[in-house]
Amino acid sequence: MADHYSSFERGGKRWFLQRITAVFLIGVLAFHFVLLHFVNHAAEIEFAGTQARMGNVGYFSLMWTFLVTATFHGVNGVYNALVNQGLDGTQKKVVAAVLTVASLLLILQGTRVALAMSGVL
Amino acid sequence: MSTQIEEQRETEEEVETEPETESPGERRRAVKRERAAQREQEVETALDEAEETVELKVFRYDPEVADKEEPRFDSFTVPYHKGMTVLDALIYARDVYDSSLTFRHSCRQAVCGSDALFVNGRQRLGCKTQMGDLEWPVRIEPLPHQDVVKDLVVDMEHFYEQMHAVEPYFDPDETPDGELEEQRQTPENREKIKLSTRCIWCGACMSSCNIAAGDNKYLGPAAINKAYRFAMDEREGESRKEERLRIVEQEHGVWRCQTQFSCTEVCPKDIPLTEHIQELKREAIKSNLKFW
Amino acid sequence: MHEHDVIVVGAGGAGLRAAIAAHEHGADVALVTKLHPVRSHTGAAEGGINAALHPEDSWELHAYDTMKGSDYLGDAPAVDTFAKEAPNEVIQLEHWGMPFSREEDGKVSQRPFGGLSHPRTTYAGAETGHHLLHTMYEQVVKRGIEVYEEWFVTRVAVTDHDDPEGRECHGVVGYEIKTGEIDGFYARNGVILATGGLGQAFDHTTNAIANTGDGQAMAYRVGAPMEDMEFVQFHPTTLPSTGVLISEGVRGEGGILYNEAEERFMFEYGYANNEGELASRDVVSRAELTQVNEGRGIEDEYVHLDMRHLGEERILDRLENILHLAEDFEGVDGLEEPMPVKPGQHYQMGGIEVNEHGESCIDGLYAAGECACVSLHGANRLGGNALPELLVFGARAGRHAAGAEMDEPKIPTGPAAESEAGEVDLPVEPGIVGDGSDPVAADGGREADDSRARQTRSDGGAVAIPEEVLERAIEAERDRVDTLLERDGINHADVRAKVQETMTENVNVFREEQNLKQALRDIREAREQYRHVGVADPSRTYNTDLIHTIETRNVIDCAEAITIGALAREEFRGAHWRQQYQERRDDEWLKHTMLAWEDGTPRLYYKPVVLEGHDQTYEPKERSY
Amino acid sequence: MSQSYDRGTVESFGRWREFSAGMWAWILHKFTGWILVGYLFTHIAVLSTSTQGAETYTATLQGLEALLIVRFLEIGLLAVAVFHILNGIRLLFVDLGLGLTAQDKSFYASLLLTAAITVASIPTFLGGAL
């Protein structure tokens, strides 16, 4: 067990990032909810309104960062939960790969959506 | 007095003469029957005399005995008295009803850590749990998340391996020169590690931990607490502390802790295990970020 | 078969210290223990470790206090060696990381203790034993010393020369509890017994359930004499239902003892008009039992120890641990009600006769710790002297067994040290029952005792080939276990309970001739019954029924030795109180009580006390504090 | 001779009845986490309609919002998100070593606060749908 000493990379960095993203997400998720359910009611959302918001560079970058951090936080959380249940060996590698690919696709698609919303695409 | 001596003599004569007519085996069985009848009588009187009796439901399993190969629960009715512990009740059940009832026990005072059991759904030391504080009937099982060797005895091998994995021994960077020269330690530092040194290796924490149940490589609360005991001991020195942090910050080390506090809640020595694990996480992050 | 240079049986304080010492002297050493090492009963020690560390203190003072405490039955070379080496051992422990309580300047704290002329007791909270045990086990792990845990040693393998001093020990036979496997441990250099106490000979004891006198009984049966077995320390404040110790600290802080009529009996009945509750352990124990025997006990069993008047704040500050003990083990809230207490067996001063190197009279057989009698504690052990004893003499036994060069021992051992034969009027024959024809004899019988095998060997000669000695011992143990498992018989627990009850009833704090004789009769009866024991659990897997049955045999032998010694010694010395003999009688009794197991029969003899120490000769004085 | 009885994961996890506060907090945090990550993927999928033009996007969103079930699911989503946030704050404090002895109380507080916020937001969510 103790024969291989692992570096910070083995778990500590992801643990730390999970906390840092959490702090960020607490604020942004709350903001997102308030903005799109209470300030603007979800039922009244139209493309125009979305485009207006996304046209703002600050809002756009906030939402894009939201996407990336949420994806990391969520997917990393899923991965940890699986590892905690004893996922190991090849299985673990496969799951890690699948989750990474899924994350990248999500971010890619999310970025496309965001660009479409901001009217760039 | 004198009559007693004579009675004694008579029994002795019997012993001398009887083997002539009876085989030792027959005699043994006769004695056994006699004792069994006597015992039954005693048990009945004990149960009658006791103001209260309590029922134990005890997990039984023995891979070698035909009717115990499939795990089952046995019930024992035990006379209750004030101050009776779960261990007392188990000993009564074993000595009076079934001598094959198996469990570890030794000191009876919560320092040897032998009798951590799953009592009414919680990890507890049998010797320091009052029967009067429990809901009756009392259900007694071996510690969860560990293989059962027999009845209430679990295999502790994995627990010991995890304890040994953190290099659980004092190993200072340097020792004082003089033979009678002691290392200095501030009372504050001694106080800081005090609770962590109380661990009795009972395994209750490890058994209560959901993460340890799923991830067999997870060091577990007891071993991490052991690492804490040395990493925080100022006598060992900085470079040894770095090495210790490297052991606990491996993937299956401190990061696996999900702060469920189950270990802290069941610890019979009241060691704040989760707190110690959390402190090591922070120490590990700090030592890696360096600028903290 | 496992093979090592040194085999240490038992992994409490003495065993661990011995193993480390032997390892440091280059020996391939293994620990064989029926419990995992951290479960050993050393862990229950509370008080501390005496050692003369202060510059104003000296080993001579420590030695003097120890000798006085022993009521001049300690052997001076042992006492001197002990006091000289204790400081090094304590500092060694500190270097191994023991979490001692500390002073502001970072040095190890020392506190005063009963019978000491200087505050020299080092401690780690009220859990000194726990820390000592764990610290040393950690060092064993660090050194990679092999540990065979949950292996129960059932027999010592010794050659069968007629004269015990001609015998050699070549190993032990062990039973692996988890699997039921029986195997031999061949010791190239020596076997060190460090099996601890025998409290289970009494039904009320502070000792663990595992403390069944295995080492004492095994060594005794292969020819190493038992020394001063009648000296048993009883602690006055133990909880009635479990025997858990309530520290002397409660009385030290001002706790008061009351009888059923709520009289402060220590004063009202004049047991100790000056010291009251703080009189020495034996005085308080005797006072409590007198109250109970005269009908003033509570539930005819115990007295009350009341600390409520000390106030919640003070109790929580200094005696918090006691509140937990009373609550957890007796269901009593010490803040709300008085705690029930009664005297309980605590420590065995006597044991396997050894010299300062831990050697018994059998070549290659060592003993250390509570199972041994060097003799350091003589008739009474001082608080805080047990832990340094196991360090000093554990280390010495380990070194010697590993082949280290050491001085000529000054304490003689074996039958050659006999100064006079003993005579005692026993009501029944002691020793084994019957003709010993019962093959493996749960009783042990003559077969289980090497002397019988010696007599029955067809070639008439002594078995001298070491491997053969061990092989034969393994065979005997396999037979014994097979028979116990196969045959039908009574439960050992009845037999053990009988011995424990009679010991507590008759060989307790008070010793009266007729009671001692009654105990011997009861023990005899127990031996009779033991011939009919069987193990009901047929399983080879973790069969505690079997283990306890074998232990019970050891309990019987130890109980008998204690009682014979108590009946023989016609004086009042230290912990040994005889109703008819209310004085210490140095003219006649300044000698050790010895028991040798000869062909299954205990033989009583005496050997002189060695009062000539390293630098000085001790003069017996009146023991008053 | 020696074999042992492995009780298996199922039996081990059958012990949820005996879970304590901290263990429930963990279970709920995982559970809400799974829902949120699932929702994140779904959310992006729904928003992807924006790449097919403004009308499709508006129609899809308003079509979904017209369904009562979606409104209720949204309330559920809010509850899940609020709990995950509050318990997440609780966990951050635990990571900082603050308030460890009150960890069970802070869990109960998170539950109560989640319930309060959820109930209070019902009118907003159901507004216009009934």
Side-chain angles (χ1 to χ4, degrees), chain C residues 336-402:
Chain C
E336 299 290 326
E337 44 196 330
M339 300 176 287
V341 292
K342 70 178 194 182
Q345 191 275 354
H346 185 52
Y347 186 87
Q348 174 67 21
M349 270 75 75
I352 305 164
E353 182 205 35
V354 294
N355 63 24
E356 313 92 289
H357 305 336
E359 286 178 289
S360 74
C361 68
I362 296 171
D363 187 51
L365 182 63
Y366 297 77
E370 190 173 339
C371 74
C373 179
V374 187
S375 131
L376 170 67
H377 307 304
N380 178 53
R381 175 178 71 80
L382 292 182
N385 258 359
L387 296 181
E389 181 204 6
L390 54 81
L391 295 170
V392 169
F393 293 104
R396 292 178 67 88
R399 277 199 288 275
H400 196 272

Coordinates of all heavy atoms in Angstrom, one line a residue, chain C residues 336-402:
Chain C
E336 N -24.0 12.0 41.1 CA -25.3 11.9 41.8 C -25.3 10.9 42.9 O -26.1 11.1 43.8 CB -26.3 11.5 40.7 CG -26.5 12.5 39.6 CD -27.1 13.8 40.1 OE1 -27.9 13.8 41.0 OE2 -26.7 14.9 39.5
E337 N -24.5 9.9 42.8 CA -24.6 8.8 43.8 C -23.2 8.3 44.2 O -22.3 8.5 43.4 CB -25.5 7.7 43.3 CG -25.2 7.3 41.9 CD -26.3 6.5 41.2 OE1 -27.0 5.7 41.9 OE2 -26.5 6.6 40.0
P338 N -23.1 7.7 45.3 CA -21.8 7.1 45.7 C -21.5 5.9 44.8 O -22.4 5.2 44.3 CB -21.9 6.7 47.1 CG -23.4 6.5 47.4 CD -24.1 7.5 46.4
M339 N -20.2 5.6 44.6 CA -19.8 4.5 43.7 C -19.6 3.2 44.6 O -19.0 3.3 45.6 CB -18.6 4.8 42.9 CG -18.7 6.0 42.1 SD -17.2 6.5 41.3 CE -16.2 7.1 42.6
P340 N -20.1 2.1 44.1 CA -19.9 0.8 44.9 C -18.4 0.4 44.6 O -18.0 0.4 43.4 CB -20.9 -0.1 44.3 CG -21.2 0.4 42.9 CD -21.0 1.9 42.9
V341 N -17.7 0.0 45.6 CA -16.4 -0.6 45.4 C -16.1 -1.7 46.4 O -16.7 -1.8 47.4 CB -15.3 0.5 45.7 CG1 -15.3 1.6 44.6 CG2 -15.4 1.1 47.1
K342 N -15.2 -2.6 46.0 CA -14.8 -3.7 46.9 C -13.4 -4.1 46.4 O -12.9 -3.7 45.3 CB -15.7 -4.9 46.8 CG -15.7 -5.7 45.6 CD -16.7 -6.8 45.7 CE -16.5 -7.9 44.6 NZ -17.5 -9.0 44.8
P343 N -12.6 -4.8 47.3 CA -11.3 -5.1 47.0 C -11.3 -6.2 45.8 O -12.1 -7.0 45.8 CB -10.7 -5.8 48.3 CG -11.6 -5.3 49.3 CD -13.0 -5.2 48.7
G344 N -10.3 -6.1 45.0 CA -10.1 -7.0 43.9 C -8.7 -7.4 43.7 O -7.8 -6.6 43.9
Q345 N -8.5 -8.6 43.2 CA -7.1 -9.1 42.9 C -6.5 -8.1 41.9 O -7.2 -7.8 41.0 CB -7.2 -10.5 42.4 CG -5.8 -11.2 42.3 CD -5.1 -10.9 41.0 OE1 -5.6 -10.3 40.1 NE2 -3.8 -11.4 40.9
H346 N -5.3 -7.8 42.1 CA -4.7 -6.8 41.2 C -3.4 -7.2 40.6 O -3.2 -7.0 39.4 CB -4.5 -5.5 42.0 CG -4.1 -4.3 41.2 ND1 -4.7 -3.9 40.0 CD2 -3.0 -3.4 41.3 CE1 -4.1 -2.9 39.5 NE2 -3.1 -2.6 40.3
Y347 N -2.5 -7.8 41.4 CA -1.2 -8.1 40.9 C -0.6 -9.3 41.6 O -0.8 -9.4 42.8 CB -0.3 -6.8 41.1 CG 1.1 -7.0 40.4 CD1 1.3 -6.6 39.1 CD2 2.2 -7.5 41.2 CE1 2.5 -6.8 38.5 CE2 3.4 -7.6 40.6 CZ 3.6 -7.3 39.2 OH 4.8 -7.4 38.7
Q348 N 0.2 -10.1 40.9 CA 0.8 -11.2 41.5 C 2.3 -11.0 41.6 O 3.0 -10.8 40.7 CB 0.6 -12.4 40.5 CG 1.3 -13.7 40.9 CD 0.8 -14.3 42.2 OE1 -0.4 -14.0 42.6 NE2 1.6 -15.1 42.9
M349 N 2.7 -10.9 42.9 CA 4.1 -10.6 43.1 C 5.0 -11.8 42.8 O 6.1 -11.7 42.3 CB 4.4 -10.2 44.6 CG 4.3 -8.7 44.9 SD 2.6 -8.0 44.9 CE 2.0 -8.6 46.5
G350 N 4.5 -13.0 43.1 CA 5.3 -14.2 42.8 C 5.2 -14.6 41.4 O 4.6 -14.0 40.6
G351 N 5.9 -15.7 41.1 CA 5.9 -16.2 39.7 C 7.0 -17.2 39.5 O 7.6 -17.8 40.4
I352 N 7.4 -17.3 38.2 CA 8.5 -18.2 37.8 C 9.8 -17.7 38.3 O 10.2 -16.6 38.1 CB 8.5 -18.3 36.2 CG1 7.2 -18.7 35.6 CG2 9.6 -19.3 35.8 CD1 7.1 -18.4 34.2
E353 N 10.5 -18.6 39.0 CA 11.8 -18.2 39.6 C 12.8 -17.9 38.5 O 13.1 -18.8 37.7 CB 12.3 -19.3 40.6 CG 13.6 -18.9 41.3 CD 14.4 -20.1 41.7 OE1 14.4 -21.2 40.9 OE2 15.0 -20.1 42.7
V354 N 13.3 -16.7 38.5 CA 14.4 -16.3 37.6 C 15.5 -15.5 38.3 O 15.2 -14.9 39.3 CB 13.9 -15.5 36.3 CG1 12.9 -16.4 35.5 CG2 13.2 -14.2 36.8
N355 N 16.6 -15.3 37.6 CA 17.6 -14.4 38.1 C 17.6 -13.1 37.4 O 16.7 -12.8 36.7 CB 19.0 -15.1 38.0 CG 19.4 -15.4 36.6 OD1 18.9 -14.7 35.7 ND2 20.3 -16.3 36.3
E356 N 18.6 -12.2 37.7 CA 18.6 -10.9 37.1 C 18.6 -10.9 35.6 O 18.3 -9.9 35.0 CB 19.8 -10.0 37.6 CG 20.1 -10.0 39.0 CD 21.1 -11.1 39.3 OE1 20.7 -12.3 39.3 OE2 22.3 -10.8 39.6
H357 N 19.0 -12.0 34.9 CA 19.0 -12.0 33.5 C 17.7 -12.6 33.0 O 17.6 -12.9 31.8 CB 20.1 -12.9 33.0 CG 21.5 -12.4 33.5 ND1 21.7 -11.1 33.9 CD2 22.7 -13.1 33.6 CE1 23.0 -11.0 34.2 NE2 23.6 -12.2 34.1
G358 N 16.8 -12.9 33.9 CA 15.5 -13.5 33.5 C 15.6 -15.0 33.2 O 14.6 -15.6 32.7
E359 N 16.7 -15.6 33.6 CA 16.9 -17.0 33.3 C 16.3 -17.9 34.4 O 16.5 -17.6 35.6 CB 18.4 -17.4 33.4 CG 19.2 -17.0 32.2 CD 20.6 -17.4 32.5 OE1 21.3 -16.8 33.3 OE2 21.1 -18.3 31.8
S360 N 15.5 -18.9 34.0 CA 15.1 -19.9 35.0 C 16.1 -20.9 35.2 O 17.2 -20.8 34.5 CB 13.8 -20.5 34.6 OG 14.1 -21.4 33.5
C361 N 15.9 -21.9 36.0 CA 16.9 -22.9 36.2 C 17.0 -23.8 35.0 O 18.0 -24.6 34.9 CB 16.6 -23.7 37.5 SG 15.2 -24.8 37.4
I362 N 16.0 -23.8 34.1 CA 16.1 -24.6 32.9 C 16.9 -23.8 31.8 O 16.5 -22.7 31.5 CB 14.7 -25.0 32.4 CG1 14.0 -25.9 33.5 CG2 14.7 -25.7 31.1 CD1 12.6 -26.1 33.2
D363 N 17.8 -24.5 31.2 CA 18.7 -23.8 30.3 C 17.8 -23.3 29.1 O 17.1 -24.1 28.5 CB 19.8 -24.7 29.8 CG 20.8 -24.0 28.9 OD1 21.2 -22.9 29.3 OD2 21.0 -24.5 27.8
G364 N 17.9 -22.1 28.7 CA 17.2 -21.6 27.6 C 15.7 -21.2 27.9 O 15.0 -20.8 26.9
L365 N 15.3 -21.3 29.1 CA 14.0 -20.9 29.4 C 14.0 -19.6 30.3 O 14.6 -19.6 31.4 CB 13.2 -22.0 30.2 CG 11.7 -21.6 30.5 CD1 10.9 -21.4 29.3 CD2 11.1 -22.7 31.4
Y366 N 13.5 -18.5 29.8 CA 13.5 -17.2 30.5 C 12.1 -16.8 30.8 O 11.1 -17.3 30.2 CB 14.1 -16.2 29.5 CG 15.5 -16.4 29.1 CD1 15.8 -17.3 28.1 CD2 16.5 -15.6 29.7 CE1 17.1 -17.5 27.7 CE2 17.8 -15.8 29.3 CZ 18.1 -16.7 28.3 OH 19.4 -16.9 28.0
A367 N 12.0 -15.9 31.8 CA 10.7 -15.3 32.1 C 10.9 -13.9 32.4 O 11.9 -13.5 33.0 CB 9.9 -16.1 33.2
A368 N 9.9 -13.0 32.1 CA 10.0 -11.6 32.4 C 8.6 -11.0 32.6 O 7.6 -11.5 32.0 CB 10.7 -10.9 31.3
G369 N 8.5 -10.0 33.4 CA 7.2 -9.3 33.6 C 6.5 -9.9 34.8 O 7.1 -10.6 35.7
E370 N 5.2 -9.8 34.8 CA 4.4 -10.3 35.9 C 4.5 -11.8 36.1 O 4.4 -12.3 37.2 CB 2.9 -9.8 35.8 CG 2.1 -10.1 37.1 CD 0.7 -9.5 37.1 OE1 0.5 -8.6 36.3 OE2 -0.1 -10.0 37.9
C371 N 4.7 -12.5 35.1 CA 4.7 -14.0 35.2 C 6.0 -14.5 35.9 O 6.1 -15.6 36.4 CB 4.5 -14.7 33.9 SG 6.0 -14.6 32.8
A372 N 7.0 -13.6 36.0 CA 8.3 -13.9 36.6 C 8.4 -13.4 38.0 O 7.7 -12.5 38.4 CB 9.4 -13.4 35.7
C373 N 9.3 -14.0 38.7 CA 9.6 -13.5 40.1 C 11.1 -13.4 40.2 O 11.8 -14.4 40.3 CB 9.1 -14.4 41.1 SG 9.4 -13.9 42.8
V374 N 11.7 -12.2 40.2 CA 13.1 -12.0 40.1 C 13.9 -12.3 41.4 O 15.0 -12.8 41.3 CB 13.5 -10.6 39.5 CG1 15.0 -10.6 39.2 CG2 12.8 -10.4 38.2
S375 N 13.5 -11.9 42.6 CA 12.3 -11.3 43.0 C 12.5 -9.8 43.3 O 13.4 -9.4 44.1 CB 11.9 -12.0 44.2 OG 11.5 -11.3 45.3
L376 N 11.7 -9.0 42.7 CA 11.9 -7.5 42.9 C 10.9 -7.0 43.9 O 11.2 -6.2 44.7 CB 11.6 -6.8 41.5 CG 11.5 -5.3 41.5 CD1 12.8 -4.7 41.9 CD2 11.1 -4.8 40.2
H377 N 9.6 -7.4 43.8 CA 8.5 -6.8 44.6 C 8.4 -7.5 45.9 O 7.7 -7.0 46.8 CB 7.2 -6.9 43.8 CG 7.3 -6.3 42.5 ND1 7.7 -5.0 42.2 CD2 7.0 -6.9 41.2 CE1 7.6 -4.8 40.9 NE2 7.3 -5.9 40.3
G378 N 9.0 -8.6 46.1 CA 9.0 -9.3 47.4 C 7.5 -9.6 47.8 O 6.8 -10.2 47.1
A379 N 7.2 -9.0 49.0 CA 5.9 -9.3 49.5 C 4.8 -8.3 49.1 O 3.7 -8.4 49.4 CB 6.0 -9.4 51.1
N380 N 5.3 -7.2 48.5 CA 4.3 -6.1 48.2 C 5.0 -5.3 47.1 O 6.1 -4.8 47.2 CB 4.0 -5.3 49.4 CG 3.1 -4.2 49.1 OD1 2.0 -4.4 48.5 ND2 3.5 -3.0 49.4
R381 N 4.2 -5.0 46.1 CA 4.7 -4.1 45.0 C 4.3 -2.7 45.2 O 3.1 -2.4 45.5 CB 4.2 -4.6 43.6 CG 4.5 -3.7 42.5 CD 4.0 -4.2 41.2 NE 2.6 -4.1 41.0 CZ 2.0 -3.0 40.6 NH1 2.6 -1.9 40.5 NH2 0.7 -3.0 40.5
L382 N 5.2 -1.8 45.0 CA 4.8 -0.4 45.0 C 4.1 0.0 43.7 O 4.5 -0.4 42.7 CB 6.1 0.5 45.2 CG 6.8 0.4 46.6 CD1 8.0 1.4 46.6 CD2 5.9 0.7 47.7
G383 N 3.2 1.0 43.9 CA 2.6 1.5 42.7 C 3.6 2.1 41.8 O 4.6 2.8 42.2
G384 N 3.5 1.9 40.5 CA 4.5 2.5 39.5 C 5.7 1.7 39.3 O 6.6 2.1 38.6
N385 N 5.8 0.5 40.0 CA 7.1 -0.3 39.9 C 6.9 -1.4 38.9 O 7.8 -2.1 38.5 CB 7.5 -0.8 41.2 CG 8.7 0.0 41.8 OD1 9.2 0.9 41.2 ND2 9.1 -0.4 43.0
A386 N 5.6 -1.7 38.4 CA 5.4 -2.8 37.6 C 5.9 -2.5 36.1 O 6.5 -3.4 35.5 CB 3.9 -3.2 37.5
L387 N 5.6 -1.3 35.7 CA 6.0 -1.0 34.3 C 7.5 -0.9 34.1 O 8.0 -1.5 33.2 CB 5.3 0.3 33.8 CG 3.8 0.2 33.7 CD1 3.2 1.5 33.2 CD2 3.3 -0.9 32.8
P388 N 8.2 -0.3 35.0 CA 9.7 -0.3 34.9 C 10.3 -1.7 35.0 O 11.3 -2.0 34.4 CB 10.2 0.6 35.9 CG 9.1 0.8 36.9 CD 7.9 0.6 36.1
E389 N 9.6 -2.5 35.8 CA 10.1 -3.9 35.9 C 10.1 -4.6 34.6 O 11.0 -5.3 34.2 CB 9.3 -4.7 36.9 CG 9.8 -6.1 37.1 CD 8.8 -7.2 37.5 OE1 7.6 -6.9 37.7 OE2 9.3 -8.3 37.8
L390 N 9.0 -4.5 33.9 CA 8.9 -5.2 32.6 C 9.8 -4.7 31.6 O 10.3 -5.4 30.7 CB 7.4 -5.3 32.1 CG 6.6 -4.1 31.9 CD1 6.9 -3.5 30.6 CD2 5.1 -4.5 32.0
L391 N 10.1 -3.4 31.7 CA 11.1 -2.8 30.8 C 12.5 -3.3 31.1 O 13.2 -3.9 30.2 CB 11.1 -1.3 30.9 CG 9.8 -0.5 30.5 CD1 9.9 0.9 30.8 CD2 9.6 -0.7 29.0
V392 N 12.9 -3.2 32.3 CA 14.3 -3.5 32.7 C 14.5 -5.0 32.5 O 15.5 -5.4 31.9 CB 14.6 -3.1 34.2 CG1 15.9 -3.8 34.7 CG2 14.6 -1.6 34.3
F393 N 13.6 -5.8 33.1 CA 13.9 -7.3 33.0 C 13.5 -7.9 31.7 O 14.1 -8.9 31.3 CB 13.3 -8.0 34.3 CG 14.1 -7.6 35.5 CD1 13.5 -6.7 36.4 CD2 15.4 -8.0 35.8 CE1 14.1 -6.3 37.6 CE2 16.0 -7.6 36.9 CZ 15.4 -6.7 37.8
G394 N 12.5 -7.3 31.0 CA 12.2 -7.7 29.7 C 13.5 -7.5 28.8 O 13.9 -8.4 28.1
A395 N 14.0 -6.3 28.9 CA 15.2 -6.0 28.0 C 16.4 -7.0 28.4 O 17.1 -7.5 27.5 CB 15.6 -4.6 28.2
R396 N 16.6 -7.2 29.7 CA 17.7 -8.0 30.1 C 17.5 -9.5 29.6 O 18.5 -10.1 29.1 CB 17.9 -8.0 31.6 CG 18.3 -6.6 32.1 CD 18.4 -6.6 33.6 NE 19.5 -7.5 34.1 CZ 20.8 -7.1 34.3 NH1 21.1 -5.8 34.0 NH2 21.7 -7.9 34.7
A397 N 16.3 -10.0 29.7 CA 16.1 -11.3 29.2 C 16.3 -11.4 27.7 O 16.9 -12.4 27.2 CB 14.6 -11.8 29.6
G398 N 15.8 -10.4 27.0 CA 16.0 -10.4 25.6 C 17.5 -10.4 25.2 O 17.9 -11.1 24.3
R399 N 18.2 -9.5 25.8 CA 19.6 -9.4 25.5 C 20.4 -10.7 25.8 O 21.2 -11.2 25.0 CB 20.3 -8.3 26.4 CG 20.1 -6.9 25.9 CD 21.1 -6.0 26.5 NE 20.8 -5.6 27.9 CZ 20.0 -4.7 28.2 NH1 19.3 -4.0 27.3 NH2 19.8 -4.4 29.5
H400 N 20.1 -11.3 27.0 CA 20.8 -12.5 27.4 C 20.4 -13.6 26.4 O 21.3 -14.4 26.0 CB 20.4 -12.9 28.8 CG 21.4 -13.9 29.4 ND1 21.2 -15.2 29.2 CD2 22.6 -13.7 30.1 CE1 22.2 -15.9 29.8 NE2 23.1 -15.0 30.4
A401 N 19.1 -13.7 26.1 CA 18.7 -14.8 25.2 C 19.4 -14.6 23.8 O 19.6 -15.6 23.1 CB 17.2 -14.9 25.1
A402 N 19.6 -13.4 23.4 CA 20.2 -13.1 22.1 C 21.7 -13.4 22.1 O 22.4 -13.2 21.1 CB 19.9 -11.7 21.7

